[in-house]
Amino acid sequence: MNILGNKIIINNKELLFDKNILEAAEYKSKIIVVLDTNEIDNVFCYSYNSELLWKMDSSEITNIGTEKEPCIGVRIVNENCVVFDFFGRRYVLNTENGKVEKGETFK
């Protein structure tokens, strides 16, 4: 998988987005993308055929101290999709629907 600004090239296919890509990760035939935007829920999941499967949903998460911020990265850790923001908060996303299953702060 190659990221070039606002597109991802994977398996000789090109996925094009309207915003630049901060990071992306592959997980079980899906591509989880963090877009460079001021939207709070800026993580999206696509199929290899460019079909939008879900958008991150953090509506049930309350942050302590500061307001929610857009995510800046994504990792697959122990079969979990983990996204994180600038303030060191990380969220485990349900890979079937994008809902935040758990949120915590790390340093």
Side-chain angles (χ1 to χ4, degrees):
M1 175 173 63
N2 291 322
I3 299 171
L4 302 168
N6 68 335
K7 66 182 170 182
I8 294 175
I9 300 171
I10 188 163
N11 297 335
N12 294 323
K13 293 183 182 179
E14 187 176 287
L15 301 176
L16 190 62
F17 301 91
D18 61 346
K19 306 278 186 202
N20 281 340
I21 301 161
L22 292 176
E23 275 194 352
E26 290 182 76
Y27 181 75
K28 295 184 178 179
S29 300
K30 299 174 185 175
I31 302 170
I32 300 166
V33 180
V34 181
L35 295 180
D36 188 5
T37 177
N38 289 329
E39 278 186 63
I40 300 304
D41 295 336
N42 63 326
V43 180
F44 302 83
C45 181
Y46 289 87
S47 71
Y48 286 153
N49 295 322
S50 304
E51 176 188 2
L52 176 64
L53 302 175
W54 51 256
K55 177 182 177 183
M56 179 180 172
D57 178 3
S58 66
S59 61
E60 297 181 20
I61 296 294
T62 304
N63 287 323
I64 299 171
T66 61
E67 295 183 25
K68 293 179 187 174
E69 290 290 326
C71 292
I72 60 170
V74 58
R75 301 284 185 278
I76 304 301
V77 180
N78 298 326
E79 296 293 312
N80 291 306
C81 176
V82 180
V83 295
F84 49 92
D85 69 14
F86 177 78
F87 291 106
R89 294 177 293 222
R90 64 181 165 197
Y91 305 98
V92 176
L93 302 183
N94 180 310
T95 57
E96 295 302 313
N97 60 27
K99 289 194 178 282
V100 174
E101 293 182 338
K102 181 171 77 169
E104 60 189 5
T105 301
F106 68 103
K107 295 181 181 185

